[in-house]
Amino acid sequence: GAVVSQHPSRVICKSGTSVKIECRSLDFQATTMFWYRQFPKQSLMLMATSNEGSKATYEQGVEKDKFLINHASLTLSTLTVTSAHPEDSSFYICSATLARPGNPTDTQYFGPGTRLTVL
Amino acid sequence: AQSVTQLGSHVSVSEGALVLLRCNYSSSVPPYLFWYVQYPNQGLQLLLKYTSAATLVKGINGFEAEFKKSETSFHLTKPSAHMSDAAEYFCAVSPQGAQKLVFGQGTRLTINP
């Protein structure tokens, strides 16, 4: 099956610093990648949708200048949390899909997640 | 807007007993529906999905779910629980023709020996 990796799996940083999280599709080319955040004991909330070669589409309430998303290739998307603060501490999960126009049933394949702790 | 409600944030069953996790959706048109499982500190793994084909969908690990339009439900079942089934389960909905997933609140399944 399709495999999605994330790096790093855990990161601890000081308040005010920036953190970059990578999401890679290992054995397929992902036309679209999604970024979610999950607070403890809560569900996943979609942050943004990232299409290769174009700007990401952010969900309402998500600061695009704080959460920078780059989808430079069909196998790599990055999420950069800029000037991180303790309230940004969360579990960040990416997913990738092969979906093409006219083929909406393709599955989202999820990465293992990255736990960010901001001190 | 589409939404998903999972009844019961925590379900506990005995090993070998029936597992039933409830999911109801809200949508003006029949959506695509998914069940995902999440083990501790891991991402999500797809159990099964409904995409307007057969209403009874069989997934991995012995799970299945039935789409009932009249009840706007997509409950997840497994005839006999195994200790390894202990995890968090998420029901999700996606509008037809779109890829965005809206997740339910999740149900933590505990298996008692």
Side-chain angles (χ1 to χ4, degrees):
Chain A
V3 179
V4 176
S5 70
Q6 282 185 242
H7 179 79
S9 58
R10 288 178 179 270
V11 57
I12 300 173
C13 69
K14 294 182 178 180
S15 185
T17 61
S18 294
V19 174
K20 180 184 284 187
I21 302 170
E22 293 186 348
C23 176
R24 292 182 185 272
S25 55
L26 297 185
D27 50 3
F28 67 101
Q29 293 186 327
T31 53
T32 305
M33 289 184 170
F34 302 86
W35 286 96
Y36 297 84
R37 67 186 298 181
Q38 183 181 31
F39 291 106
K41 298 182 189 248
Q42 294 189 28
S43 188
L44 281 75
M45 298 297 293
L46 180 65
M47 298 175 66
T49 303
S50 169
N51 291 295
E52 186 265 339
S54 62
K55 290 185 177 180
T57 302
Y58 290 81
E59 295 299 301
Q60 191 173 8
V62 177
E63 299 176 61
K64 61 181 179 181
D65 294 331
K66 181 169 185 63
F67 298 100
L68 301 179
I69 292 173
N70 185 291
H71 192 162
S73 77
L74 285 172
T75 59
L76 174 64
S77 176
T78 60
L79 167 68
T80 301
V81 183
T82 62
S83 187
H85 291 284
E87 57 266 29
D88 298 323
S89 298
S90 188
F91 194 50
Y92 292 87
I93 303 175
C94 73
S95 71
T97 181
L98 283 160
R100 295 276 193 276
N103 186 13
T105 63
D106 274 357
T107 303
Q108 285 188 32
Y109 299 95
F110 285 80
T114 296
R115 185 161 301 284
L116 170 63
T117 302
V118 184
L119 302 177
Chain B
Q2 304 212 331
S3 66
V4 172
T5 302
Q6 291 182 239
L7 298 176
S9 60
H10 189 193
V11 170
S12 182
V13 302
S14 298
E15 189 175 16
L18 171 72
V19 175
L20 170 61
L21 304 182
R22 300 177 186 275
C23 172
N24 288 88
Y25 68 91
S26 171
S27 175
S28 57
V29 296
Y32 295 157
L33 292 157
F34 305 80
W35 275 100
Y36 284 88
V37 61
Q38 184 181 34
Y39 296 100
N41 296 312
Q42 294 186 27
L44 275 66
Q45 180 180 6
L46 179 69
L47 280 176
L48 47 80
K49 61 182 178 182
Y50 167 77
T51 56
S52 69
T55 56
L56 181 62
V57 182
K58 293 187 183 297
I60 62 171
N61 301 340
F63 285 94
E64 63 181 37
E66 185 172 9
F67 172 72
K68 292 187 177 180
K69 182 179 177 181
S70 61
E71 299 178 6
T72 61
S73 69
F74 190 58
H75 302 331
L76 181 71
T77 60
K78 181 173 180 177
S80 177
H82 192 273
M83 295 299 291
S84 60
D85 294 328
E88 188 88 16
Y89 291 80
F90 291 96
C91 182
V93 62
S94 175
Q96 286 202 10
Q99 305 163 38
K100 291 170 63 171
L101 288 174
V102 175
F103 285 88
Q105 306 90 317
T107 297
R108 180 168 298 278
L109 176 64
T110 301
I111 310 298
N112 302 314

